[in-house]
Amino acid sequence: MENLLAIAVGMILVNNIVLTRFLGLCSFFGVSRRIRDALGMGIAVTFVMTCSAAITWFVYEYLLVPAGIQYMRIVVFILVIASFVQMVEVIVRKKAPSLYRAMGIYLPLITTNCAILGVVLINTEVERYSFVASTVSGFSAGIGYALAILLMAGIKERLEIAEIPESFRESPIGFIIAALLAMVFMGFGGMV
Amino acid sequence: MIEALILGGLGFSFGVVLVYLARKFEVKVDERLEKIVELLPGKNCGTCGFANCEEMASASLKDPTYLERCRVLEPDNRRKIEEILGVSLQDISKKIAIVACTFQTENKFKYVGVQTCAAAVLVSSGFKKCKYACLGLGDCVRVCPFDAISISEGEVKIDKNKCVGCGLCVQTCPKNVINLVNAGAYVFVSCSSRDDAKTVVGVCKNGCIGCGLCAKACPVGAIKIENNLAIIDYSICTGCGKCAEVCPRKVIFKLRTS
C-alpha cells in the first residue's frame, strides 16, 4: 500500500512526466491556451494512460517476456496504444456523442503523444512494476500531466493581458515559463 | 520469426476487433451534411446561435429554417443548399456594420491601462470627453472573423465589401457605438450621443445636437429626434440626401446616392 502511494506521489510530483522527464511537450505547449481545453486534454490523457498501462503490462509480461523479444517493445506498444485509442474513439462516438465532441481532436492526438509511450516503457522495462503498481503509475502519470498542463494554461491565460516584449510573445515566453515550472518541480526532488 | 508472428498476430487481432467495433458502433452520418458544411461560410462566427458551421448544418438538416439565421451565407451557396434540402427559404436583407462616431472628440485623460475597450470603459466610462464616443482600442478588430475592421490613427474603419453583417462587433463594443444598417441604406447618422446640445458642442466638433433640421427637411418624414439624436427609419427613407445637406454639424453622411 505504502509502495503504491510512493509510486503515485513520485509520478505526480517528483518525476512529473512533463516537467521533470520532459515527455509529451508538444501537446503541453499546443493545447494549453485555455484552461477548459487543457482540462479536456488532461482528462483524455489520464484515461488513455491508465488503460494503456494496464493493457501493455499484460502484453509485455505474457507475450514479449516469454518469447524473449523485449527489444520489440516500442513497436508493439505503439501498436497497442494506437489500436486502443481507436477503439475508445469508436465507442465514445456512438455511446457518448457529447463527450466525443468535447474531446474532439485531442483523442486522436494522444495516439502520438510520447508521454503515453514513455510511461508504458518506464512501467515495464525500467521499473518492472506489478500489474496494480503499473496501473497506479499510469493513472498518476496522467494526473501529473493534467496538473502540469493546467498550471501552464492558467499562466498562459494571464499572459494574454500581460505586456510582454514583442520578441518574447507566444512561444518564447512559453518556453521560459516551462523552464521556471520545471525548476519549481525540481524542488520536489528527493521526496520519494 | 517469432517476433514477426507476435507482431503480426497482435496487429491482426486488433484489426479484427476494430472492424467488429466499427460495425457494431457505426454512427450513421447524413451524406448531405458534408455538402452543406462545404457550402456554409466556415468562419464559425457563431452569430446564428450555434457553436460552429457544422453544428448549424446538422441542425438545418432537421429544420431548414435555421439556415435563415446565417447572415454570412452567399446567395449562390444558399440556393445550392436549398436545392440539397429541397426547400425554399425566406430572403434576408444583407446588413453591414457602421461605426456611429466621427472621432472628433478629445481625450479627457491619458489612459495607460490594459489596451482593450472592455477594460478602458471601466475607468470613468472611457477616456474620451464624449461618453458615447468610440474608444478606438480595437475590441471590434480582434473579434471580427472577416478582417473587415481596421484602425488608423484612432479611427475605426469597417470595409463595406468585407463586412457581412454578422454583428459580432456590435455585441462586443462596450460603448454600443457600432450599428447594423441595411446594405442598401442611403444616409447614416454618424453619432451615438444622447447628450443635450450644450454638452455635445462642448466635447465634439461634429456630434448630433438633436436640432431637428434634418427631420424638418426630410420630405417623407423618415427622421425622428429621440433623446437628442436623429434616428432614420430606413423603411421610409428614399435617399434624397436633403438631411445630409441641411445638417449644421455635418454628422449625416451619404453612404450612396439614390
Side-chain angles (χ1 to χ4, degrees), chain A residues 43-57:
Chain A
I43 291 170
V45 166
T46 309
F47 176 69
V48 172
M49 227 178 231
T50 315
C51 297
S52 36
I55 296 173
T56 46
W57 187 85

Side-chain angles (χ1 to χ4, degrees), chain B residues 28-235:
Chain B
K28 288 236 161 33
V29 180
D30 198 321
E31 57 189 18
R32 295 177 298 176
L33 183 70
E34 206 176 315
K35 285 182 195 160
I36 298 179
V37 171
E38 247 168 54
L39 289 169
L40 285 173
K43 290 282 183 178
N44 301 329
C45 65
T47 38
C48 57
F50 293 97
N52 51 42
C53 290
E54 205 175 322
E55 295 276 300
M56 161 77 156
S58 56
S60 67
L61 280 175
K62 292 185 194 110
D63 183 0
T65 52
Y66 279 127
L67 277 173
E68 285 169 12
R69 293 203 201 168
C70 183
R71 281 185 265 187
V72 187
L73 195 53
E74 300 278 330
D76 279 355
N77 289 353
R78 195 191 170 89
R79 236 166 282 131
K80 280 183 200 156
I81 295 179
E82 282 175 12
E83 259 171 47
I84 293 172
L85 291 173
V87 291
S88 62
L89 301 164
Q90 271 181 329
D91 273 335
I92 43 168
S93 55
K94 189 178 185 299
K95 295 198 167 186
I96 51 168
I98 305 185
V99 184
C101 182
T102 49
F103 312 99
Q104 295 301 317
T105 186
E106 282 164 5
N107 290 359
K108 60 182 168 190
F109 57 84
K110 190 168 180 248
Y111 174 75
V112 292
V114 176
Q115 296 293 307
T116 67
C117 306
V121 82
L122 298 175
V123 184
S124 175
S125 73
F127 52 85
K128 297 282 185 186
K129 276 187 178 165
C130 170
K131 67 179 177 201
Y132 298 94
C134 169
L135 297 174
L137 294 177
D139 282 10
C140 48
V141 177
R142 282 183 285 276
V143 81
C144 182
F146 305 95
D147 292 330
I149 311 181
S150 59
I151 295 185
S152 58
E153 292 165 13
E155 294 195 13
V156 175
K157 291 213 167 61
I158 303 183
D159 189 331
K160 264 189 247 176
N161 300 321
K162 284 185 186 166
C163 178
V164 297
C166 70
L168 277 180
C169 51
V170 178
Q171 290 168 18
T172 305
C173 181
K175 282 290 184 187
N176 292 323
V177 76
I178 308 179
N179 294 357
L180 274 185
V181 298
N182 288 334
Y186 296 108
V187 285
F188 180 68
V189 183
S190 193
C191 181
S192 306
S193 174
R194 277 127 181 115
D195 276 333
D196 57 61
K198 200 182 159 207
T199 317
V200 174
V201 172
V203 298
C204 184
K205 283 179 216 153
N206 277 116
C208 177
I209 52 174
C211 64
L213 282 180
C214 49
K216 275 180 207 145
C218 184
V220 289
I223 305 182
K224 273 184 298 185
I225 305 293
E226 280 174 20
N227 301 324
N228 301 312
L229 182 64
I231 310 279
I232 300 172
D233 187 340
Y234 289 106
S235 60

Side-chain angles (χ1 to χ4, degrees), chain A residues 59 63-64 67 69 71-72 75-76 79-80 83 86-87 90-91 93-95 101 161, chain B residues 2-4 6-7 10-11 14 17-18 21-22 24-27 29 55 112-114:
Chain A
V59 172
L63 273 177
L64 299 191
I69 49 164
Y71 64 88
M72 290 283 286
V75 186
V76 172
L79 183 71
V80 171
S83 320
Q86 198 69 44
M87 282 175 210
V90 169
I91 295 171
R93 193 173 178 194
K94 175 78 177 180
K95 291 288 172 193
R101 270 203 299 280
I161 52 167
Chain B
I2 184 87
E3 43 275 64
I6 285 186
L7 194 59
L10 268 179
F14 280 135
V17 173
L18 272 180
L21 282 177
K24 185 144 191 259
F25 294 98
E26 194 182 2
V27 180
V29 180
E55 295 276 300
V112 292
V114 176

Side-chain angles (χ1 to χ4, degrees), chain A residues 61-74:
Chain A
E61 292 294 327
Y62 292 110
L63 273 177
L64 299 191
V65 175
I69 49 164
Q70 285 96 324
Y71 64 88
M72 290 283 286
R73 61 192 183 273
I74 292 181

